[in-house]
Amino acid sequence: MAEITCTNLSLHFGPTAAVDDISLSVPSGAFFALLGPSGSGKTSLLRLLAGLERPTHGKITLGERTVAASGTFVEPGARNLGMVFQSYALWPHMTVAANVAFGLEMQQIDKAARTVRVAEALKTVGLGHLGHRKPHELSGGQRQRVALARALAVRPALILLDEPLANLDAHLRQTMLAEFRRIHRETGATFVFVTHDQNEAMAVATHVGVMNDGRLEQIAAPDTLFDRPATPMVARFIGHGRTLPVICRADGMVDLPHGTLRLQGHAGPGPAWLCLRPRDVAVAENGPIRGRVVDRRLENGLSMLSILPEGLGDVALDVPHPQALPVGAMVHLHVRSGWLLPREGAAVWDDHRIAALA
Ligand SMILES: Nc1ncnc2c1ncn2[C@@H]1O[C@H](COP(=O)(O)OP(=O)(O)OP(=O)(O)O)[C@@H](O)[C@H]1O
Ligand SMILES: [Mg+2]
């Protein structure tokens, strides 16, 4: 049974389509991460799921229940979900414990059970000792964790998190991510998690959706997004990807300025994008791409070169290389692997992984 199903879902604000004809299906118990540039519609999609916005068009089903469709609208309080939003709203006059208990009171859970659940939820987020404080007596990160505890306390089937780690330091983010994984495992709830941090998404998600301009470009398992991006936007957005304009020949070869590559699958013929990540290329004696070193930097202690390929537009490739080659040096690049996408309306292809010609 799919836990979340959206069918042709749109949300318009005047001329802006914040969510533009999205159809998706996420199974029960998934950890669904939503990625995309600022303004791409992530929060708007979450607000639609939460019932804080009514769709302009389309339908949302949670579990067996249609919660939004033409003529149907289930109020947020009746959707059995918990939310932690970018701007977490805590009641300033209530203690931390009272804030966490608030949703439970709404559900008319009796006092003894409430006390147990509040203590449990605060312990889960590492704030067991701060239940008596008021929100203004907490740091930003602690306030965010109170908001998470409040969402968890009602034990919802669906938890919506909009950048819940944005205000936390790097160490606490890692700890909280591990906590999310644990809470996800233990509760069996479906999580929808909006983040700007791809590593964060890849670390915890079972499904990742990439949004752009209100549309869903692709929804897939994390490694599929890396290995088989469905659109040039996804290829560029995920993991330092670069796309180079190339031509695919009818005989299964791809022409590059200084050589050819052989296709493993079926593609083209016609204009294509060759999608390359740092792991796909290496500096070599010979290779089908020749380029100039335009920059060198250290990334996590490894030397990374920026290399501008000749005759392939103005996009520099990031290439890991141990040697400190000087800026301006000319090098060849060997292509170990890669991925092709049709360019300018070419027909859709089945399988288009490429490998270097032996
Ligand atoms: N209440 C509103 N009225 C008008 N336009 C809105 C409203 N809410 C959002 N938008 C517009 O809808 C688009 C999507 O916004 P949304 O907040 O969903 O983006 P986002 O992906 O969450 O961005 P960010 O990563 O910056 O949080 C943007 O162009 C935004 O300006
Ligand atoms: Mg947002």
Side-chain angles (χ1 to χ4, degrees):
M1 178 192 73
E3 178 66 29
I4 304 172
T5 308
C6 301
T7 314
N8 301 116
L9 188 64
S10 294
L11 175 64
H12 293 194
F13 294 108
T16 309
V19 172
D20 189 4
D21 197 26
I22 284 185
S23 294
L24 64 83
S25 186
V26 181
S28 178
F31 201 125
F32 176 36
L34 264 180
L35 288 171
S38 182
S40 58
K42 304 178 297 294
T43 295
S44 300
L45 178 58
L46 232 59
R47 289 177 61 81
L48 283 166
L49 294 175
L52 298 173
E53 302 284 354
R54 286 171 187 257
T56 311
H57 305 287
K59 181 169 138 180
I60 304 172
T61 306
L62 300 179
E64 302 277 285
R65 198 151 59 124
T66 296
V67 294
S70 109
T72 304
F73 188 77
V74 176
E75 293 296 330
R79 292 192 182 192
N80 189 23
L81 46 81
M83 302 174 254
V84 181
F85 278 106
Q86 268 169 318
S87 54
Y88 40 87
L90 300 177
W91 301 106
H93 58 288
M94 289 185 190
T95 63
V96 163
N99 266 284
V100 175
F102 186 73
L104 299 173
E105 281 171 43
M106 296 283 100
Q107 286 191 349
Q108 296 173 349
I109 304 227
D110 71 59
K111 182 136 192 289
R114 239 165 35 215
T115 309
V116 172
R117 287 234 221 147
V118 167
E120 223 175 64
L122 284 175
K123 183 160 169 272
T124 299
V125 301
L127 292 179
H129 56 303
L130 293 183
H132 59 285
R133 294 242 190 119
K134 298 273 177 64
H136 73 269
E137 296 168 324
L138 301 176
S139 73
Q142 288 169 333
R143 279 199 284 269
Q144 208 142 19
R145 283 188 281 159
V146 175
L148 178 62
R150 186 176 53 184
L152 290 172
V154 298
R155 296 185 184 155
L158 176 60
I159 297 189
L160 307 174
L161 303 151
D162 196 348
E163 302 193 46
L165 305 178
N167 295 335
L168 308 186
D169 67 45
H171 178 71
L172 200 48
R173 289 170 83 92
Q174 285 312 311
T175 313
M176 287 299 290
L177 266 189
E179 284 297 289
F180 282 154
R181 265 206 298 259
R182 181 181 63 76
I183 294 164
H184 177 247
R185 254 194 328 268
E186 286 177 5
T187 58
T190 306
F191 278 52
V192 184
F193 180 89
V194 173
T195 175
H196 272 113
D197 185 328
Q198 293 186 15
N199 290 331
E200 220 168 81
M202 301 303 170
V204 294
T206 56
H207 298 67
V208 182
V210 179
M211 289 191 68
N212 190 31
D213 271 342
R215 291 184 308 278
L216 186 68
E217 296 263 330
Q218 187 171 9
I219 176 168
D223 52 349
T224 307
L225 279 188
F226 273 100
D227 295 341
R228 308 170 72 88
T231 69
M233 183 269 169
V234 175
R236 290 175 199 131
F237 188 74
I238 300 289
H240 294 281
R242 298 288 187 271
T243 54
L244 304 177
V246 296
I247 302 291
C248 241
R249 293 190 335 214
D251 61 0
M253 305 296 280
V254 178
D255 280 327
L256 285 171
H258 297 276
T260 52
L261 295 170
R262 183 192 296 281
L263 275 170
Q264 281 180 347
H266 298 285
W273 290 113
L274 170 56
C275 311
L276 296 174
R277 302 186 184 288
R279 68 180 184 201
D280 293 325
V281 281
V283 172
E285 287 280 302
N286 286 301
I289 296 175
R290 201 172 94 109
R292 189 162 44 85
V293 177
V294 291
D295 191 23
R296 174 180 176 262
R297 63 184 188 280
L298 278 180
E299 239 181 59
N300 301 323
L302 294 175
S303 158
M304 186 74 90
L305 302 176
S306 274
I307 296 175
L308 188 65
E310 277 181 341
L312 287 167
D314 55 3
V315 177
L317 296 170
D318 284 339
V319 183
H321 189 63
Q323 253 175 299
L325 294 176
V327 168
M330 293 302 294
V331 294
H332 277 271
L333 294 178
H334 168 68
V335 180
R336 291 190 190 105
S337 52
W339 181 248
L340 284 166
L341 287 172
R343 185 159 53 103
E344 279 124 44
V348 177
W349 310 329
D350 298 340
D351 184 8
H352 26 283
R353 183 149 275 282
I354 57 127
L357 190 58

